[in-house]
Structures are given as C-alpha cells and as structure tokens.
C-alpha cells in the first residue's frame, strides 16, 4: 500500500509538470496537417466489434441493465462458496517436523526416542539431513519442554525430486505413523516462528478450551481432539497434555508427628536437603562465587521405597524412618498449567489440508456445539491463522467502505453531480464479477492478497469510469446531445480504456505465471485483478454509457418538466 501510494503521488506530480512539457516538444502538429489520430488495423477491428454492441445496449437499455444485474446476482451466489483464509501457505522450500512425546520423559530418553524417528526420515531419498532441537535453549527464548523436538529437514534441491511436495509429506506421515506415543505436526521455519509470535501456536488452527478444573479440561479436550480428527481436511491433530508428569507426593501424618513432637518444618527441611539439595556455603574461585550444594547420593533418593527409609531426628536424639511418619508415593500430576486472561486453558492444534481454514473452523465450531457439552465457566475460542483471518476481515470490513465513501465524495466534488458520481461508483460491484468468478474457478481462497487485488480492481474501475464520464461531459459542453456525446465519447475513449486494462493485466502476468518461493502469495492478487479487469472493461464500455445516457435523459426531462 505504501509503495503504490508513493508511486501514485510521483505519477501525479509528473503528469502535472513533466508530461505537458514533453507533450509540447514531441506532439507538434505540422502545418497543413490535422491532429486527428488515425486508427490502426487492430483498433478498426475492435471498433467494428464494439460499436454495434454499444448501439444495441443504447437501444435496449432495460435488457442491458437486466443482463448485468443477472450476472451480478449469479456472482453473488458464487461468493459464499469461495473459501477464506488469512494468507496462502507459502512454500519456503524447507520442512519442520514438530514432535511431542510423553511429558514426563527425561532429556536423555527424549533424545533416544528421536534417533530412530530421524533415521526413518533419512530413509526418504529427498532428505539428506536432519537438524534437531529438543527443549529450550540457554536463553529461554523458545520455551519448549524436554518432550518437544523441532526437526529441520535438509532436503535435496526440488528439481532433483521425482515426486511432488504433497507426496513427499504423505511419505513422511507414513514413516511417522509407525511410531507410538508421539504426536507430530508439519510446519516451516518462517511460518512456525511468525505463528508463534502472533498467536502463540504453531498450527493453522488452534482450539483454546478454557475452564477451572484440570480433570474436566483433560476430558473435554480429549473429546474435541477426537471430534476434530474425524472432520474432513484435518491433519496433524494433537493437543497439549495437561497430565502425565510424575510427582513425588509425601503426605505427612499429623497425629503421628504430634506424638513424636516433630514439626512439619523438620520433615520439609529433610526432604528439601536430601532430594532437592541445599546450598550450604560458597567457594571463592578467581573472584567467582560458586555455591556448594549438599544432597543425598542418587541411590539413596532414587525411589519412594528408598526415600521411606530416610531417618528423621526426634527431640530426644533418637531417629525414626520417614515412612513411619508419612506416606511416600509417585503420582501423576499436571505437566504445566497454562493461563490466558486469568483462566486455565488447554490447546488442541490442527493443520488444514485441501480446504479453507474458515470453512474448516465453522464446521469444527458447529460440531463442538452439537456434540460436546461444556459446563458453565467452560468455553472455546479459536486461534492460529483463523484468528489472523478474522482480524484482517474485520479491519477490511471497516476500511473498504470508508474508502468507497471517500471516493464517492471526491467524484461528487469533481463532477458536481450525485448521479454521475453514482454511475461511476456502480462500476465497483460490476468489476467484482470477473474477480469472484476467476477466484472461484481457479480454486483459490479469499485471502489478504486477494482482498488487495479487489481493492486494486476498484481503483482501475473508477479510473476508467472517470475517463468515460468526463469526456461525455466535455462533448456535451461542445453542443452535442446526450446520446450523440455518448456515442462519440465511447468510440473515442475505447483506446485509453483498453490500454488501461491491458497494461495492468500484462503487468500482472508474471505474478500469475510465477512458480518460485512467494508465488503463492502473489497468485490470488493477479487472478482477481486480471479476471476482474476483463469484466470491468466490458461493463465500463457497454453498461456505463448506457446508464449515463438513460439517467441523464431522465434527469433532463425532469428538469424540463419542472421548469
């Protein structure tokens, strides 16, 4: 938007200063010659095809307008069937496999479990290396658990592949499905990082379930996960584990320690020192303070049975085992408790394949409402790329109408006529016909680039309308009647209107034909603009003159009657 704005400002300045000077130098008319511009063979053919159509539209005005309205209505019926997404998935040329394992796993066991998985990935001929990262780094910039691993695949150049990217990912999923007790998802380096920063999740869609009781959250999250897996288009479905972490639980018998005269703090101090360790002093070495931690040896704190044998000192100097004063056992507990807006939450993530994100989320929302009963205080929100799409849609729903109103105000200021400003603004909905149809039949979705394409299309449609209407007014001021001005003006403005559309279309053809990285983002814009310019140009050349002549004649007759 910034680039286009500054380009237009520069173009405006040049048009008002440099272009008139250049025109005076290079467009001199020699004596005895006329300044009339002769038509070439192409323009003669185009006028031969165009002028009869325009004459027919002027003669049968109601039929011409009715056909345009039918086309607009048919296009409106197609619009709900176009999927919606935030941004097309860009092929970065690199794949990241996100793995999640048992939350209670140690770092050593996590690495051991990763090794055969990485070897299985390396069996594919397209994969020449795997770089992995398990857990968080030293700076804690990426807060991952020891059970989480990001596998960055190093692949051979795409031109050496014998299969498509989709087939490659299917082969990877087939390899990963052989391993039990893991959840996995596909992503890309940039996409993963941007998604984490914007929405806190790494997938295209995130279902955030909020509530208070962890057991209820676990149960309902499991129900939603199974429900999502059965919906068409869902891939890489997994949820954040709430429970599964093992805890050492020591329940002190208050009556027993009271008989022995022991305080709870005494047992707590013993457990803290023996198992967790306590810094008892510091060692100074080269101006560095190094804490000295004291705790029991590994063999004396490795299991509940051994911990029960720890001796607790009594006030009378004797000792008694910890197992005599408290129950010691290993229990399952929460892996982590995540809160958002002061509410506990669990996240179910999924990627979407073969359909649009918004349609997928609508089906998921409907299924959850029908099949999952949530108690009071428990509710669901949706995040990920869907959240971005909703935010962008709300912003465009506010900005685009404001822009159209401003354009209408500028047109009214220019022509001093509500009718003529309205005729030009009518070009905007009719310009959408080709954009919507081309988007529908190309199989692309309505995304931010496609929305930008529609906005660009509106600008070109209004520009062509201004070119036509201003020339009609100029001819009428020279003394021609409304119909005569329309006929002559449409013929004279055929060349500039076609040039505007063709130059814009040819300029976007490279975006339409591009296949390199980033082409996925460019293609929706090019499809919308090129398709929209086709119908917009036809309607500008045929429908706009018809509406102008029809409405201006009615206005003229009304003024004559009133006078």
């Amino acid at each position: 938007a910034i680039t286009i704005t500054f380009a237009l400002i520069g173009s405006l300045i040049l048009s008002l200063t440099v272009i008139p000077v250049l025109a005076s130098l290079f467009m001199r008319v020699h004596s005895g010659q006329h300044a009339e511009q002769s038509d070439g063979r192409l323009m003669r053919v185009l006028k031969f095809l165009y002028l009869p159509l325009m004459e027919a539209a002027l003669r049968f005005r109601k039929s011409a307008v009715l056909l345009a309205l039918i086309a607009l209505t048919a296009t409106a019926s197609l619009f709900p069937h176009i999927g919606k997404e935030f941004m097309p998935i860009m092929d970065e040329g690199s794949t990241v496999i996100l793995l999640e394992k048992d939350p209670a796993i140690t770092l050593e066991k996590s690495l051991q479990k990763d090794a055969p998985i990485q070897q299985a990935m390396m069996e594919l001929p397209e994969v020449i290396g795997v770089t992995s990262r398990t857990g968080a780094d030293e700076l804690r910039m990426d807060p991952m658990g020891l059970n989480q691993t990001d596998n960055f695949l190093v692949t051979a150049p795409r031109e050496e592949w014998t299969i498509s990217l989709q087939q490659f990912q299917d082969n990877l999923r087939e390899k990963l499905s052989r391993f039990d007790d893991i959840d996995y998802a596909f992503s890309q380096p940039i996409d993963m990082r941007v998604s984490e920063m914007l929405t806190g999740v790494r997938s295209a869609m995130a279902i955030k379930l909020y509530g208070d009781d962890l057991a209820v959250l676990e149960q309902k999250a499991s129900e939603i996960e199974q429900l999502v897996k059965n919906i068409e288009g869902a891939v890489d479905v997994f949820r954040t584990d709430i429970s599964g972490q093992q805890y050492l639980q020591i329940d002190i018998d208050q009556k027993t320690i009271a008989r022995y005269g022991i305080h709870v703090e005494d047992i707590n101090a013993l457990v803290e020192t023996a198992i967790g360790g306590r810094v008892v002093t510091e060692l100074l070495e080269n101006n560095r303070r190094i804490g000295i931690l004291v705790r029991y040896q590994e063999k004396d704190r490795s299991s509940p049975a051994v911990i029960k044998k720890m001796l607790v000192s009594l006030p009378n100097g004797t000792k008694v085992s910890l197992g005599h004063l408290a129950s010691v056992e290993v229990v399952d507990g929460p892996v982590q408790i995540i809160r958002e807006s002061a509410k506990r939450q669990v996240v179910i993530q999924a990627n979407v394949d073969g359909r649009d994100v918004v349609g997928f989320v609508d089906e998921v929302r409907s299924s959850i409402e029908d099949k999952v009963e949530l108690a009071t205080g428990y509710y669901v929100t949706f995040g990920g790329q869907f959240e971005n799409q909703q935010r962008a849609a709300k912003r465009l729903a506010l900005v685009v109408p404001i822009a159209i109103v401003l354009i209408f105000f500028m047109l009214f200021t220019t022509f001093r006529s509500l009718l003529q400003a309205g005729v030009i603004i009518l070009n905007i909905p009719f310009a959408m016909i080709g954009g919507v149809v081309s988007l529908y039949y190309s199989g692309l979705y309505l995304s931010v680039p496609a929305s930008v394409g529609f906005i660009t299309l509106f600008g070109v449609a209004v520009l062509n309308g201004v070119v036509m209407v201003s020339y009609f007014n100029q001819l009428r001021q020279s003394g021609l009647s409304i119909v005569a001005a329309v006929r002559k003006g449409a013929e004279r403005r055929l060349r500039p209107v076609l040039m505007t559309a063709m130059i814009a279309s040819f300029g976007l053809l490279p975006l339409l034909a591009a296949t390199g990285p980033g082409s996925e983002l460019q293609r929706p814009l090019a499809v919308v603009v090129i398709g929209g310019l086709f119908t917009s140009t036809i309607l500008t050349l045929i429908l706009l003159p018809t509406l102008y002549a029809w409405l201006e004649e009615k206005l003229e007759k009304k003024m004559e009657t009133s006078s």
Side-chain angles (χ1 to χ4, degrees), residues 1 34 101 138 201 216 229 234 263 319 326 376 388 424 435 481 494 498 513 558:
H34 297 285
K101 292 145 282 187
E138 292 82 355
V201 298
V216 175
K229 286 182 177 179
H263 299 289
K319 298 181 182 294
T376 303
N388 292 331
I424 295 174
S481 65
L494 176 62
L498 289 178
K558 184 177 180 181

Side-chain angles (χ1 to χ4, degrees), residues 33-273:
Q33 293 184 353
H34 297 285
E36 289 292 331
Q37 187 179 28
S38 61
D39 292 330
R41 182 178 300 176
L42 177 61
M43 284 306 304
R44 287 197 295 270
V45 172
L46 292 174
K47 287 184 178 182
F48 176 77
L49 298 174
Y50 166 61
L51 294 178
L53 289 175
M54 188 197 66
E55 288 290 343
L58 286 174
R59 189 177 301 112
F60 305 103
R61 297 173 184 179
K62 292 183 179 181
S63 299
V65 174
L66 181 62
L67 286 174
L69 290 174
I70 291 173
L72 186 60
T73 305
T75 302
S77 66
L78 285 180
F79 191 76
H81 300 287
I82 297 176
K84 301 176 183 65
E85 62 183 358
F86 175 60
M87 295 286 281
I89 298 175
M90 184 178 71
D91 181 12
E92 300 174 22
S94 182
T95 302
V96 180
I97 309 295
L98 316 176
L99 295 179
E100 287 209 11
K101 292 145 282 187
D102 182 3
I105 199 169
T106 63
L107 177 60
E108 292 76 12
K109 291 184 178 179
S110 181
L111 296 176
Q112 291 175 5
K113 197 173 186 68
D114 287 341
I117 298 175
Q118 293 158 2
Q119 290 173 0
M121 296 178 189
M122 290 288 293
E123 292 175 0
L124 296 177
E126 295 79 16
V127 181
I128 59 177
V130 181
T131 301
S132 301
R133 180 183 62 208
T134 300
D137 56 17
E138 292 82 355
L139 299 178
R140 303 293 294 178
M141 297 298 290
D142 195 359
M144 294 168 53
L146 299 178
N147 65 316
Q148 296 174 315
T149 301
D150 292 341
N151 296 281
F152 297 82
L153 304 190
V154 182
T155 58
R158 289 286 176 86
E159 55 269 17
E160 298 179 8
W161 289 19
T162 58
I163 57 176
S164 65
L165 176 62
Q166 183 63 48
Q167 183 61 48
F168 171 68
Q169 293 181 345
D170 291 341
N171 292 343
L172 277 173
R173 288 190 174 94
E174 192 273 329
K175 294 284 185 183
L176 294 171
S177 63
R178 302 176 186 176
F179 297 92
D180 299 326
D181 301 326
I182 66 165
D183 291 316
Y184 61 87
F186 285 62
S187 186
Q188 300 179 94
I190 299 174
D191 183 43
M192 177 182 68
R193 186 62 61 212
V194 171
S195 296
E196 283 181 325
M197 289 190 297
L198 292 179
T199 62
V201 298
R202 300 179 170 195
S203 300
M205 187 207 68
I207 305 172
K208 298 180 179 180
L209 173 62
Y210 296 88
D212 297 319
D213 192 306
L214 292 177
V216 175
L217 286 176
E218 177 82 18
Q219 176 192 351
K220 297 302 179 181
S222 178
E223 293 179 16
I224 293 174
E225 180 187 20
Q226 294 303 317
L227 184 149
V228 173
K229 286 182 177 179
N230 294 327
I231 293 179
E232 181 186 359
V235 293
D236 309 333
V237 182
F238 69 97
R239 62 184 171 90
T240 305
D241 289 316
I242 298 180
S243 61
Q245 179 71 49
Q246 291 189 328
Y247 290 85
L248 179 67
Q249 180 171 298
I250 301 176
D251 288 330
I252 300 174
D253 188 336
Q254 298 289 341
K255 294 181 180 180
T256 303
I257 65 173
R259 288 199 305 269
Y260 283 104
I262 302 174
H263 299 289
V264 173
E265 290 80 2
D266 298 331
I267 299 177
N268 287 341
L270 171 66
V271 172
E272 178 187 354
T273 303

